[in-house]
Every structure is written in C-alpha cells, then in structure tokens.
Amino acid sequence: MGQLIDEIGIIFADAFERLGLDRAYGAVRRSDRPELADFQCNGALAAAKAAKRNPRGIAADIADSVKTSALISSIDIAGPGFLNIQISNAALARCVESIRQDTHRAGARPVATPQKIILDFGGANIAKPMHVGHLRTAVIGDSLQRIFRFLGDEVISDIHMGDWGLQMGHLITELQAEQPDLVYFDDDFTGPYPEASPVDIEDLSRLYPQASNKAKADPDRLAQSQAAIAQLQAGRAGYRALLEHFVDISIASLKLDYGFLGVSFDLWLGEKDVEPLIPDMIEDIKARGLAHEDKGALIIPVEQESDTKDYPPFMLLNSRGASLYHTSDLATILDRVRRYDPDRMLYVVDQRQALHFEQVFRAADIVGYISADRMEHLGFGTVNGKDGKPFKTREGGTLKLSDLTGMAFNMAEQKITEGGRLSSDIGGAEKQDIAALVARAALRFADLQNTRTTNYVFDLDKFTSFEGKTGPYLLYQVVRIKSLLRKAQAEGHKAGDIHIESEAERNLALTLEGFDLALHMTHQKRMPHILCEHVYTLAQGFAALYGAHKIATEPDDTVRASRLAICQSVLLQLETGLNLLGIKAPERM
Ligand code: ARG
C-alpha cells in the first residue's frame, strides 16, 4: 500500500484535474491545526488566482467532488477557501495495520534515487584526547549513516583520523627524550621492529600535552618536532614503525568509546594514509598551472566572482614546504574519487570549520576531482556549559569523551536504581547492561534532538532523567509496550483486526502515518532532530493511549485485540526509529 498522505493527494489532484485545473493544486499536508483537521489542502486559493475565479467556489467544487472517497470522513471549507480534511477511521486502521505488517521498514519507503555517499565523521585525533565536540560528530554522523542506509543509499563511512602532522612529531620527540635507547631511534637498526608497542594509551595522553606545552614556550623544541615530521615524511623507518604503534593503540582505545555510543565506521583511515599521494598530486596540480607560489607558499586561488569580500587562497604547502590539513583533505578526496567514485561526499564536522571546507570544496572542484555541488559540510554547533561557553571540566580543561561516557554510565546506574525504577529481580550483569543502554540513549538523544546547527547546554542530570524529552523516557515507553505485550501473550490474548475509534487511537494512528515523511525530511535536510521529534511524539502518543485506555486488561475481546495490534505497530516503528538514532532499548527494566 502507498502512503495515506499520497493517496489523499491523488484524490485531490484528480479533483482539481476534473475542474480543468492543474493537478499540483491538489497537494495536501498535515494540518497546522490538528484540533480542526487531520490534513489540509490550500490549493484552491492559488488555483482561483490563476483561473480568475472565486476561491471559495473552487473549494466548494473540490469538496463536493472528493466527499465520496472512503478515505475521507468529512471535509469543510475554512476562511477564504482552505480545505480541512478529516480522515476516516477505516483508512487510519488500514494504515496502522500496513505498518504493523511492514516488519523491516515500519511504513517508510526507500528514496527514489539512492546514491553512493562517502560520509566523513568522527575525526578523532591520535594522542589528543577526544572532547565533547567529538561526541557530536560521532552521534550525528552515525545516525545519518544509519538513516541513509535504511532509505537505500550506499554509505561508506570514514573516521578520517587526525594521525599526521605536528602531534606525531611531538609524540616521537617526547618519547625519544624519555627513552632514547629504544631501537626506533637507532639509525643502525635494520629491523624488524618489535611487534609490541613501547607505549600505551596513557603514555600517549601524557606525552602529547607535555611536548605541546614545551613547544609553546620554546621555539627550538617546536623545531625538533617539525624536524621529526620531515623525517617521518622522508620515510625514516623507526619513526614510521612508531607511528603505526601510536595509531594502533589509539584505534583500540577509540573503539571502546565509540562502541559504548554504538558508533561504527567502515573505514579507519586517516590523514597519514593519503600522505604518500601528496607529492604526485602537487606536481600534477602545478603542471596544469592551477597552483602558484605566493610568499614562499604554494597556493590555489579559490575566490569567485560572487564573493563579497577577500577570499583566502587554498594553501597546498606552507612556506616551510610542509603540507597542511587542507592538503590532506584534498588528497583524501582524490583517493576517495579514485577508489569509490561516489555520488556525494558529506562531512560531519564542527561548524567552526566551515571556511576550511568551503575552501577544500572549491579547490577540489578547480582541480577537477569532484564538483563542489556534490560535497556538503554538515556543520554542527558547540556543546556548552551552563555558562553558555564551550563545555569544560571543573578544572577548566576539555572533558574527554571516555570520562563523559563514564559519567553518563554512573548517572544512569544511579537513576535506574533510585525510585525503584528497576524490577527487584534485576541485578548484576543485566543491570549493568541496562545502565549502559540508558546512558547511550541519554547522550545520543540529548545531542540529536537539537537542530544540528545550534549549540546546546550539556546537562547530564537532565539527559539521564526518565521524565521529559529524553532518551531514557523513550526507553521507558518501549519497555512498557514490551512488557504489556508479553503479559497479554502469557494470558493467551492475541492481536487482531484494528479499529480506530477514540481520540488517543486516532492521534496515534496519524503519528504512525507521519514516519515516512519525517524520515525523508531528515534525509533531505540531513537533520536527525526531525526523526527525534517523530519518535518522541510517537512515545507520547503511546503514553496517552496507555493513560486513556485499558489494553491487555481490556475485557472486550475485539477491542483488546485491536489495541494489542496498535501497540505492536507502535513498538515496531518506535524501535525502528530509535535504531536509526543508534538507540537500543532493553527487553525489560
Ligand atoms: N581531526 C579533525 C578535528 O579534530 C576533524 C577532521 C574532520 N574531517 C576532515 N575531513 N577534515 O578537528
């Protein structure tokens, strides 16, 4: 079956056509005033203008022409010619049943033209600990990849680690100062290098700030790290071997943080992986006359006629001849185009990097790798503290992602324990698993429910609450439906034909109907908060049904069977939607 909204749209388009008017006037949408109508059609106004007729007259003709449809229970004309449409209960029942049966898609259709998309998100840096900003790119990027795939796109996600550049030079030189006798620093050593890393993740998080602080105070110390990078670039074997160790242990630790959040990547590539492509890439760009020297640096001018102010050039090499963040992004585009030939490339990165990406996109277009209109920077706002400034720890540092997930876990555990929220027979490992799912739901939903581009205030206490617009609230509703359906099953009650009668049932049915639209809007705008809004409304709709009616304990067999079927439909769509947000509910609580 098609979508209810489309079926209604066709009925109205047909009606306009019968009056000799354009079918496009028949577009319908959900009513702005749900207390008055389910759907509305405003086409009579524009049609009247074009046909030089009275809009109320046209509206009356349309109303007359559609009123025999079984999908429509009533239609009235408001104001100058708005058509307010009430859907029949039978049509709503059919819609809820078709969602119930659609076990894989819960009522959502795939996109009409699926695309091959490279999704660049995560962007964790080796050695530098992840911060709350990395929470945003991780959960937004991961949700988008789930949504794109669900709707039929082919997605290749890449973490694009920051594993090249000064921080590597810092790590190498600082380690050398601490342990000069390691074979990695011995020029006469011919290998093979040891398989075990000489450092662990704690060492890395200590060495980096240590070196970085020294370099800030001492230009010679900075020069040492820069020299190490140059040698790394030139292929010094001991340094290369160290780099591999650093990356491997960082990935192992990153996988724990991402795993807790339910975030995954297809590719664990980074800046270092495209570094070998850079020399040839630069030669080629120079040979084609697209780059030139400017004050010792090598640049690609990327300004456009439409620019209203001076536009900074794209820098391929700085005046020391070193490649930059820009350069590795351009080389990565070249690599991705060669390997995957994607339709689009999307970057989920902090809004503050907007200029960077615009420059990169312009440059990639100029050098002919991919046109700028096939690339998108999906920026996001910052996570702020209650003071409105970017979130810091009490000591004033940035909060590490691993500390953040740890705090969320502890608070979730406390919240499920207090107030007797958990069944008394749940403890041990099951309780730990539930706390982890609650923490994940709390962090992900708190982030995703905000319009991507806005900032939000980090408030763990609020995020982990079971009341309000939170992840835990959603889990609570899912668990409630599950337990109700289990109870009914244990008593031998089966789901049956759906009848939509009460207001709570109607509202829920109309919400279920809106999933497809919400998902496609989410996809089109790359804005997960639209889907969040949908699942939250659905959960609230269920809570209203639960508050208004008996379900498993309803004495009337037909009514009970119908309500159980409605609940199955809601559960399916709720879990499907939550899964797309990377949120999983426990079986019970
Ligand atoms: N590592 C960067 C950072 O932490 C983010 C990388 C984003 N992706 C990209 N292709 N530049 O800021």
Side-chain angles (χ1 to χ4, degrees):
M1 156 188 162
Q3 301 287 322
L4 190 50
I5 188 166
D6 294 346
E7 293 182 39
I8 313 268
I10 290 170
I11 291 172
F12 278 78
D14 288 348
F16 276 93
E17 196 170 38
R18 281 195 294 274
L19 293 184
L21 298 164
D22 198 307
R23 293 182 65 81
Y25 295 126
V28 296
R29 56 183 169 87
R30 288 300 277 275
S31 168
D32 297 334
R33 316 236 345 236
E35 70 283 7
L36 294 183
D38 300 330
F39 288 88
Q40 65 187 57
C41 171
N42 300 349
L45 280 81
K49 206 174 248 173
K52 303 203 168 46
R53 278 189 56 188
N54 171 345
R56 274 194 80 97
I58 292 187
D61 288 350
I62 296 290
D64 211 41
S65 155
V66 302
K67 71 173 182 243
T68 51
S69 162
L71 297 185
I72 296 169
S73 63
S74 76
I75 177 156
D76 38 63
I77 304 163
F82 299 115
L83 287 158
N84 281 337
I85 309 152
Q86 206 74 22
I87 302 299
S88 71
N89 288 346
L92 289 177
R94 194 160 59 85
C95 170
V96 178
E97 176 58 22
S98 82
I99 289 168
R100 192 177 78 99
Q101 286 176 19
D102 191 11
T103 46
H104 293 296
R105 315 199 55 84
R109 292 168 295 186
V111 286
T113 42
Q115 298 199 304
K116 190 197 265 188
I117 296 172
I118 304 243
L119 193 59
D120 181 313
F121 71 97
N125 299 311
I126 299 295
K128 288 197 241 172
M130 292 206 271
H131 51 77
V132 273
H134 290 107
L135 169 72
R136 297 220 68 188
T137 168
V139 303
I140 297 169
D142 180 65
S143 299
L144 289 178
Q145 80 173 329
R146 289 166 185 258
I147 292 162
F148 290 148
R149 283 192 182 124
F150 183 71
L151 293 185
D153 293 313
E154 182 188 345
V155 179
I156 301 155
S157 56
D158 181 7
I159 183 169
H160 196 75
M161 275 183 298
D163 53 10
W164 189 253
L166 191 60
Q167 76 253 38
M168 286 303 166
H170 279 338
L171 286 177
I172 292 171
T173 47
E174 197 65 13
L175 181 62
Q176 187 158 20
E178 272 190 9
Q179 300 189 52
D181 298 333
L182 290 175
V183 286
Y184 304 92
F185 306 116
D186 180 353
D187 283 334
D188 300 327
F189 186 74
T190 51
Y193 289 97
E195 264 179 34
S197 169
V199 287
D200 61 20
I201 191 73
E202 268 77 48
D203 294 322
L204 289 189
S205 24
R206 177 176 51 79
L207 291 169
Y208 172 73
Q210 215 167 281
S212 159
N213 286 337
K214 287 183 194 164
K216 271 182 204 133
D218 174 6
D220 288 345
R221 178 65 190 82
L222 177 65
Q224 256 179 42
S225 293
Q226 283 164 344
I229 284 295
Q231 290 181 28
L232 189 63
Q233 199 159 1
R236 183 166 164 169
Y239 285 10
R240 287 263 162 197
L242 276 179
L243 175 69
E244 294 305 328
H245 286 313
F246 296 163
V247 171
D248 288 348
I249 56 176
S250 298
I251 288 181
S253 136
L254 287 172
K255 283 192 171 162
L256 293 178
D257 289 340
Y258 285 128
F260 185 85
L261 291 168
V263 171
S264 68
F265 301 93
D266 298 318
L267 305 176
W268 285 77
L269 296 175
E271 297 172 9
K272 80 167 167 53
D273 295 291
V274 293
E275 190 267 334
L277 303 181
I278 290 177
D280 284 350
M281 175 181 89
I282 290 183
E283 275 321 304
D284 170 62
I285 294 174
K286 276 211 297 213
R288 289 191 284 139
L290 298 170
H292 63 255
E293 256 173 57
D294 185 74
K295 300 184 200 92
L298 186 65
I299 61 159
I300 303 176
V302 293
E303 73 266 0
Q304 291 169 356
E305 251 167 45
S306 53
D307 293 336
T308 49
K309 44 182 186 280
D310 277 354
Y311 202 89
F314 179 98
M315 202 182 280
L316 273 171
L317 295 173
N318 67 14
S319 55
R320 282 183 296 104
S323 62
L324 306 141
Y325 183 43
H326 280 103
T327 327
S328 67
D329 261 323
L330 191 62
T332 304
I333 292 173
L334 175 62
D335 189 44
R336 288 171 179 167
V337 169
R338 279 184 184 158
R339 274 181 215 266
Y340 302 107
D341 188 24
D343 296 308
R344 305 193 73 76
M345 248 184 256
L346 272 46
Y347 296 80
V348 183
V349 184
D350 197 317
Q351 190 59 38
R352 287 171 291 188
Q353 295 195 28
L355 177 64
H356 168 77
F357 284 106
E358 210 182 298
Q359 289 181 296
V360 170
F361 297 167
R362 287 185 182 195
D365 193 317
I366 289 170
V367 301
Y369 298 162
I370 180 170
S371 64
D373 60 5
R374 284 162 61 195
M375 294 188 273
E376 296 169 46
H377 170 217
L378 308 177
F380 51 80
T382 49
V383 185
N384 291 335
K386 289 189 180 132
D387 58 0
K389 301 209 186 84
F391 189 75
K392 301 264 185 243
T393 60
R394 225 166 279 161
E395 294 74 37
T398 49
L399 181 68
K400 286 192 237 162
L401 195 59
S402 53
D403 292 342
L404 175 97
T405 53
M407 277 161 59
F409 177 83
N410 290 338
M411 196 163 292
E413 197 177 26
Q414 184 190 327
K415 293 258 162 95
I416 57 174
T417 312
E418 77 194 13
R421 196 164 280 283
L422 224 49
S423 298
S424 52
D425 62 328
I426 297 181
E430 187 180 0
K431 184 174 168 185
Q432 301 285 302
D433 290 346
I434 293 174
L437 291 178
V438 170
R440 180 195 294 181
L443 289 175
R444 289 191 67 132
F445 195 74
D447 190 290
L448 294 169
Q449 66 162 291
N450 301 285
T451 310
R452 170 165 53 73
T453 43
T454 58
N455 305 339
Y456 71 89
V457 174
F458 191 80
D459 182 348
L460 207 46
D461 190 38
K462 188 171 128 197
F463 299 169
T464 53
S465 167
F466 278 87
E467 272 123 53
K469 194 173 178 182
T470 67
Y473 170 81
L474 296 168
L475 298 192
Y476 177 61
Q477 300 305 340
V478 171
V479 169
R480 232 168 157 191
I481 307 177
K482 288 190 175 184
S483 113
L484 167 168
L485 291 174
R486 262 198 310 267
K487 212 174 283 165
Q489 197 182 20
E491 286 174 20
H493 296 326
K494 289 206 167 46
D497 285 350
I498 294 177
H499 307 279
I500 298 294
E501 265 141 30
S502 74
E503 194 186 318
E505 289 170 339
R506 285 197 110 251
N507 286 341
L508 201 45
L510 282 161
T511 302
L512 284 163
E513 197 276 335
F515 182 51
D516 178 73
L517 187 63
L519 208 46
H520 284 268
M521 292 295 278
T522 305
H523 181 278
Q524 194 188 324
K525 300 189 161 150
R526 287 83 163 94
M527 290 281 191
H529 78 274
I530 301 171
L531 178 57
C532 289
E533 199 60 43
H534 178 82
V535 295
Y536 180 62
T537 309
L538 188 58
Q540 279 184 313
F542 165 73
L545 181 85
Y546 192 84
H549 301 302
K550 289 189 165 137
I551 302 176
T553 55
E554 163 63 45
D556 183 305
D557 286 341
T558 318
V559 176
R560 185 184 55 241
S562 163
R563 295 214 176 113
L564 288 174
I566 296 173
C567 286
Q568 287 176 343
S569 195
V570 171
L571 179 63
L572 172 70
Q573 195 179 81
L574 203 47
E575 287 203 294
T576 305
L578 286 175
N579 183 40
L580 296 175
L581 299 170
I583 296 173
K584 188 169 160 339
E587 280 311 302
R588 58 177 202 149
M589 262 199 250

